[in-house]
């Protein structure tokens, strides 16, 4: 079904609504990962992965001093910062987001998208209707300057995403586009706990995700890509990363480019809202396509009030 359904889904993307309305059988990716791959879960405090699927169990094991350093796996390219927002900030931010209209998206999600018009297949960029970001969210971007990894981060797209468990909301494994979106993939969790799931991406389709462009700027990455020998440690594994409420998550380097990431339906048990932030690739910052990005950069400096 390639046409957009009333729920917003199309193609292989489904939610509980269209699965029931159109009798679509969707295999459980969660069960597939559990049956076919060896699970490892990230301990935020140790900054390493340990064997196991359950993120809560991994946290309890840390508190019980069960995490031996030599038993953990280190994967460069991941930052999880708990309590990036405090409780009052989270409550206020959610009120501001809900004062603005949500639009339906795929796989049981809703979104609020502020950014340029992009065509990933044709690699075309336009300012379009982009006029900046809601002023009520400006302080979140300003706080990035307090995070060493993000001090020079310029947001050129901000997208609020709502995951509704009653709709079976999820997002399938993918790599964020590499033609226009830069290395750092930033997410701020505004409401609800969830888990990010990583699986090793074996490049089988040339040009998929525009990954063929990464060699043009791989020498500028904040964390170098892993060699085949290093990647061998992660093949056959599924990696689980807790995303606590009010936390900041940044994917970069190997995590950004050598793994697909997803949010499984089974990991969304309450309403979850996050804001995803994207920057330009080096070609659009100081490379051959800089002038094409100038208009977007100018708009990205603006914050507007809700009338």
């Amino acid at each position: 079904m390639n046409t957009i359904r009333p729920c917003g889904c199309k193609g292989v993307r489904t939610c509980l609504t269209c699965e029931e309305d159109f009798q679509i059988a969707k295999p459980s990716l969660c069960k597939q990962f559990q049956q076919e791959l060896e699970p490892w879960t990230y301990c935020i405090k140790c900054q390493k992965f340990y064997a196991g699927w359950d993120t809560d169990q991994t946290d309890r094991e840390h508190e019980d001093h069960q995490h031996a350093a030599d038993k953990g796996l280190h994967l460069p390219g991941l930052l999880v910062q708990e309590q990036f927002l405090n409780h009052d900030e989270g409550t206020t931010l959610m009120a501001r987001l809900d004062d603005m209209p949500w639009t339906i998206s795929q796989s049981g999600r809703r979104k609020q998208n502020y950014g340029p018009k992009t065509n990933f297949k044709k690699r075309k960029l336009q300012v379009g209707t982009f006029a900046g970001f809601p002023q009520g969210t400006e302080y979140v971007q300003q706080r990035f300057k307090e995070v060493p990894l993000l001090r020079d981060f310029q947001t050129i797209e901000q997208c609020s995403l709502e995951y509704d468990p009653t709709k079976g909301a999820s997002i399938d494994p993918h790599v964020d586009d590499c033609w226009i979106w830069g290395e750092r993939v930033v997410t701020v969790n505004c409401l609800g706990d969830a888990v990010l799931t990583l699986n090793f991406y074996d490049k089988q389709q040339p040009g998929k995700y525009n990954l063929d462009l990464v060699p043009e700027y791989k020498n500028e990455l904040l964390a170098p890509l892993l060699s085949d020998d290093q990647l061998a440690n992660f093949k056959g594994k599924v990696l689980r990363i807790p995303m606590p409420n009010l936390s900041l998550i940044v994917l970069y380097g190997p995590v950004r480019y050598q793994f697909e990431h997803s949010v499984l339906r089974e990991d969304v048990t309450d309403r979850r809202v996050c804001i995803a932030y994207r920057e330009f690739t080096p070609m659009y910052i100081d490379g051959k396509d800089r002038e094409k990005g100038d208009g977007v950069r100018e708009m990205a400096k603006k914050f507007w009030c809700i009338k």
Side-chain angles (χ1 to χ4, degrees), residues 89-141:
E89 289 171 334
T91 300
T92 301
L93 182 58
M94 278 306 309
R96 290 170 176 170
L97 294 180
D98 281 334
D99 278 341
M100 296 180 289
W102 291 91
T103 60
I104 59 171
S105 185
Q106 299 193 67
S107 303
R109 303 188 306 272
R110 294 195 301 170
K111 66 182 180 180
Q112 298 166 338
N113 196 52
Y114 309 102
K117 184 178 180 180
T118 53
N119 186 317
F120 299 121
K121 290 184 178 180
K122 296 181 179 180
R123 298 179 181 175
K124 289 186 177 181
L125 174 72
Q126 294 179 317
V127 175
T129 59
F130 179 42
F133 309 108
Q135 192 172 61
T137 66
E138 181 178 6
Y139 77 96
V140 181
Q141 291 192 32

Side-chain angles (χ1 to χ4, degrees), residues 2-278:
N2 291 322
T3 57
I4 298 178
R5 296 157 224 152
C7 58
C9 298
K10 65 178 180 179
V12 298
R13 312 298 183 209
T14 66
C15 66
L16 290 177
T17 300
C18 64
E19 288 168 19
E20 180 178 354
D21 290 347
F22 297 96
Q23 291 77 54
I24 300 172
K26 183 177 178 66
S28 170
L29 186 60
C30 178
K31 290 181 180 178
Q32 180 182 336
F33 279 154
Q34 290 177 320
Q35 292 170 356
E36 299 178 2
L37 300 173
E38 179 185 349
W40 286 68
T41 293
Y42 188 70
C43 174
I44 296 174
K45 298 175 180 66
C46 295
Q47 298 181 15
K48 288 187 176 183
F49 288 89
Y50 291 90
W53 176 271
D54 190 327
T55 56
D56 290 335
Q57 177 64 30
T58 298
D59 190 55
R60 289 192 293 269
E61 289 172 355
H62 177 89
E63 297 303 321
D64 293 338
H65 307 287
Q66 297 181 31
H67 286 168
D70 61 345
K71 299 295 185 181
L73 284 176
H74 174 63
L75 177 59
L78 174 63
L79 169 68
V80 181
Q81 181 176 320
E82 296 184 276
Q83 298 178 333
F84 180 71
L85 303 176
N86 63 41
H87 178 270
D88 290 343
E89 289 171 334
T91 300
T92 301
L93 182 58
M94 278 306 309
R96 290 170 176 170
L97 294 180
D98 281 334
D99 278 341
M100 296 180 289
W102 291 91
T103 60
I104 59 171
S105 185
Q106 299 193 67
S107 303
R109 303 188 306 272
R110 294 195 301 170
K111 66 182 180 180
Q112 298 166 338
N113 196 52
Y114 309 102
K117 184 178 180 180
T118 53
N119 186 317
F120 299 121
K121 290 184 178 180
K122 296 181 179 180
R123 298 179 181 175
K124 289 186 177 181
L125 174 72
Q126 294 179 317
V127 175
T129 59
F130 179 42
F133 309 108
Q135 192 172 61
T137 66
E138 181 178 6
Y139 77 96
V140 181
Q141 291 192 32
Q142 293 299 322
R143 188 160 297 175
F144 290 166
K145 295 181 175 61
E146 300 175 15
V147 181
L149 183 64
L150 300 177
R151 282 176 182 162
D152 62 344
F153 187 93
Q154 183 186 6
T155 300
I156 53 99
E157 186 194 59
Q158 175 179 307
C159 184
S160 308
L161 291 168
E162 177 199 62
Y163 292 75
D164 184 347
T166 68
K167 297 178 181 177
S170 65
I171 188 164
D172 289 344
H174 67 284
V175 175
D176 281 23
D177 181 79
C178 303
W179 152 68
I180 196 70
W181 306 143
E183 178 181 3
R184 291 166 290 191
V185 172
V186 179
T187 302
V188 174
N189 288 294
C190 310
L191 179 69
D193 300 324
V195 179
L196 190 71
T197 299
L198 302 183
N199 60 282
F200 171 74
Y201 178 60
D202 190 4
K203 300 177 186 177
Q204 297 179 348
Q205 298 181 33
K208 188 174 183 180
Y209 306 128
N210 283 315
L211 274 164
D212 56 304
L213 293 175
V214 176
E216 293 188 22
Y217 51 83
K218 69 176 183 179
N219 293 332
E220 301 179 52
L221 300 183
L222 296 166
L225 300 181
L226 299 181
S227 66
D228 289 341
D229 288 344
Q230 292 171 318
L231 283 173
N233 292 324
F234 298 97
K235 291 183 179 180
K237 294 181 173 65
V238 57
L239 308 179
R240 307 266 292 160
I241 303 168
M243 298 191 294
N245 185 27
L246 307 178
S247 63
L248 168 77
I249 292 92
V250 184
L251 312 183
Y252 61 103
V255 178
R256 161 76 167 96
Y257 297 110
Q258 295 177 298
F259 293 82
E260 290 183 309
H261 59 272
S262 58
V263 176
L264 304 179
R265 175 178 290 178
E266 291 82 355
D267 288 322
V268 181
T269 57
D270 297 292
R271 185 191 185 203
R272 183 210 175 207
V273 176
C274 66
I275 306 180
Y277 295 88
R278 302 292 179 263

